[in-house]
Amino acid sequence: MNRLIRGVFVKGIYPLLYLAARGIGVKRDRLQRMLINTSNRLVRFEHKKPARRILLLLPHCLQRNECNIRVTSNVFNCARCGKCEIKNLIDLAEEFKLDLFVATGGTLARRIVVETRPEAIIAVACERDLSSGISDTYPLSILGILNERPFGPCFNTRVDISRVREALLFFTGNGTDNGGKPGP
Ligand code: SF4
């Protein structure tokens, strides 16, 4: 039932709201954030059983720009120098035994989801990619975490590792709640 409510919102109400709100000049990012936050809340409400197969999907822009290691083919190629958060995310993936992938775009992300067949997804990305990912992967449970962009979009972006950890604790059944933090 709860999953159905999420579907009605993500696939029905949100697209209509989006069109109406864009028509009166509401910014796209704001609407996409509303979808991400609402979907995250609904997922938290409906997801009761611990997930065994969790996929953590990262955007390529998290990788330090000057790093030449190819992490898109295999994120474990990373030399773990610690100059970007890919290292911390690999540590988390090993601790929680997750599938971890870096996707260069929506098409690759969709292919990774089909191939890994996760029970739950934690996705880090910008508003645009997260909102389309949430819609595309329904009815899968997905928690979206917005990346931070101190240098502008798509360049040396960052993510709050504590939020990723908290989402993992939630999906593995070891979390309480997110301590009142906004999303994921
Ligand atoms: S942690 Fe270091 S080696 Fe790994 S992707 Fe980031 S910059 Fe490259």
Side-chain angles (χ1 to χ4, degrees), residues 98-163:
L98 308 172
D99 286 323
L100 174 65
F101 287 89
V102 175
T104 45
T107 306
L108 180 58
R110 276 185 284 277
R111 203 172 79 210
I112 292 166
V113 172
V114 170
E115 285 173 2
T116 55
R117 304 178 61 201
E119 284 174 39
I121 302 170
I122 298 166
V124 177
C126 61
E127 285 87 346
R128 188 198 60 185
D129 288 355
L130 277 184
S131 56
S132 61
I134 284 169
S135 178
D136 291 349
T137 55
Y138 177 82
L140 276 172
S141 293
I142 173 168
L143 286 176
I145 302 175
L146 280 173
N147 59 4
E148 297 165 6
R149 289 153 287 187
F151 307 103
C154 311
F155 183 79
N156 287 350
T157 62
R158 311 203 56 185
V159 62
D160 182 345
I161 298 291
S162 69
R163 296 183 73 196

Side-chain angles (χ1 to χ4, degrees), residues 63-64 67 69 71 78-87:
Q63 183 180 21
R64 187 87 170 187
C67 174
I69 294 173
V71 292
C78 163
R80 308 194 190 195
C81 74
K83 286 184 183 159
C84 74
E85 276 139 2
I86 301 275
K87 177 206 176 289

